[in-house]
Amino acid sequence: MSGPWWSRPRRLIALAAGAAVIGTVLAAGVSRPAHRTAEPPTEMRAARGAPAGPGFAGVLSEAGRPAGDDAPPVAELPLAGVPLRAGPGAPEARPVFALADHPLLARHAGLARISCELPPWHDEPRGAEAFLRAALDCLDDSWSVTLRNAGLPFRPPRLELRAEGARSACPDRLPGPGDRPFYCPADESIVVPAEALRPLGAGSRRGAQLAALGHEYGHHVQQLVGMLRAYSDARSTAGWSSERGQEQSRRLDLQAWCFAGMFLGTNHGRGDIDGRTWEEAASAVRSGGDRPGEPRLLGSPESVWGWWRWGSDTGDTWECNSWYAAAAHVG
């Protein structure tokens, strides 16, 4: 069975060096970290006794903590081999259709540190939209620097708050329960169904919302850099509904959780991403994963938690290489 239509090549948007971040830029601006050697992830792995190689390997220590300033700096040279220069005739940033050997995962690279200021969460459409748009601005500010420095495309995702019972513009959405936010690759949008506001909003603050939004943003990163197309090709080759094809789906979703953890772990303690927000996000993530009786497309709750926590503890794209990990660690 062939993959979904959204995996076909799309028109690429040229990206010049030094272009302003698209979307609303927070007053605090983007804080560019000073250059330093990115060794902490290796030390953390050695301390936990995990084997060499990138990615969560089934070992977590409760002594771990969000990466914060120990996260690797943003890479200063293009990972994709595309020289970045402004002006007429400058090469356009382009995606790379690869998985385990994708250049974004080839070396230690972190996210831009930002001071994320967020309005209070309200579980009604207007208040939810204000919060989600502010959170998306934060994610844009953090990820855009990394992708542009990597020589990879960046575009902010669209946000769609869908009324109850309304159909999305995405006939081939990524797998996931229908009552949760999801990513639509067809128009690069994060869709938040009305049904998702109630279970996420009841009794919660911003941490649960950031956990869910950061995960869908992780899929947007995969779309921008070319991983989603490579995933679609790999899953089609394996058999879309086969056991191996479902494993490819889990690798995709667990990497999105790792990317979400990177954002919260790197920016822990800055602006409104305080310790309580991180703890609330962690609590929400623990309930993620496949539901009983459904196909195994998302990963077990233990795997979801492990990859999110690993991304938070390391803040490192190299460590989010779920395509490299052994099958036992994407269960």
Side-chain angles (χ1 to χ4, degrees):
M1 178 179 177
S2 62
W5 59 270
W6 49 259
S7 67
R8 298 171 187 168
R10 303 160 66 88
R11 183 175 63 86
L12 302 178
I13 299 177
L15 209 56
V21 175
I22 302 172
T24 304
V25 179
L26 301 179
V30 176
S31 174
R32 291 291 301 275
H35 178 73
R36 59 183 180 276
T37 305
E39 291 301 329
T42 303
E43 293 168 2
M44 282 186 271
R45 180 175 291 278
R48 291 172 181 156
F56 168 62
V59 180
L60 281 173
S61 168
E62 290 302 320
R65 58 183 176 80
D69 288 337
D70 287 338
V74 175
E76 295 183 356
L77 297 174
L79 301 178
V82 179
L84 296 181
R85 64 177 188 272
E92 65 177 8
R94 54 180 179 265
V96 177
F97 304 117
L99 295 174
D101 56 348
H102 196 284
L104 184 62
L105 313 176
R107 72 180 192 217
H108 300 292
L111 298 180
R113 278 78 161 170
I114 62 169
S115 180
C116 185
E117 308 297 332
L118 297 167
W121 169 260
H122 297 288
D123 57 354
E124 44 80 24
R126 182 174 297 180
E129 182 174 7
F131 178 92
L132 293 170
R133 290 199 182 281
L136 280 177
D137 286 343
C138 294
L139 284 154
D140 288 343
D141 287 350
S142 200
W143 274 103
S144 62
V145 180
T146 296
L147 296 189
R148 284 173 167 150
N149 278 23
L152 294 164
F154 176 77
R155 299 177 294 277
R158 296 176 59 251
L159 175 66
E160 178 188 335
L161 267 67
R162 192 181 67 185
E164 191 161 2
R167 294 178 62 92
S168 167
C170 191
D172 288 304
R173 52 167 288 183
L174 294 185
D179 61 349
R180 296 180 185 175
F182 63 90
Y183 183 68
C184 177
D187 61 1
E188 297 185 350
S189 65
I190 293 175
V191 182
V192 182
E195 302 93 308
L197 300 182
R198 287 191 293 271
L200 280 178
S204 75
R205 295 192 319 117
R206 49 188 165 230
Q209 319 307 325
L210 286 174
L213 188 68
H215 174 248
E216 302 312 327
Y217 200 98
H219 287 312
H220 181 60
V221 171
Q222 292 168 326
Q223 163 76 351
L224 291 177
V225 304
M227 288 180 195
L228 267 184
R229 176 177 163 184
Y231 151 77
S232 180
D233 291 344
R235 188 170 173 186
S236 295
T237 299
W240 201 254
S241 299
S242 69
E243 183 176 340
R244 188 177 171 195
Q246 291 186 48
E247 180 186 299
Q248 292 296 308
S249 177
R250 295 195 298 275
R251 290 181 186 274
L252 183 83
D253 215 62
L254 292 169
Q255 182 179 60
W257 280 119
C258 190
F259 285 162
M262 276 185 63
F263 171 76
L264 276 158
T266 297
N267 293 302
H268 177 265
R270 293 180 171 84
D272 287 328
I273 304 180
D274 54 16
R276 182 176 178 182
T277 299
W278 187 93
E279 292 290 349
E280 189 178 272
S283 178
V285 170
R286 287 181 183 272
S287 65
D290 292 316
R291 294 175 173 177
E294 293 182 347
R296 300 211 53 242
L297 302 176
L298 308 177
S300 67
E302 294 79 14
S303 292
V304 167
W305 164 245
W307 280 94
W308 183 88
R309 173 69 182 275
W310 193 251
S312 174
D313 283 5
T314 64
D316 190 345
T317 60
W318 186 82
E319 292 288 0
C320 287
N321 195 342
S322 59
W323 313 102
Y324 176 91
H329 305 313
V330 292

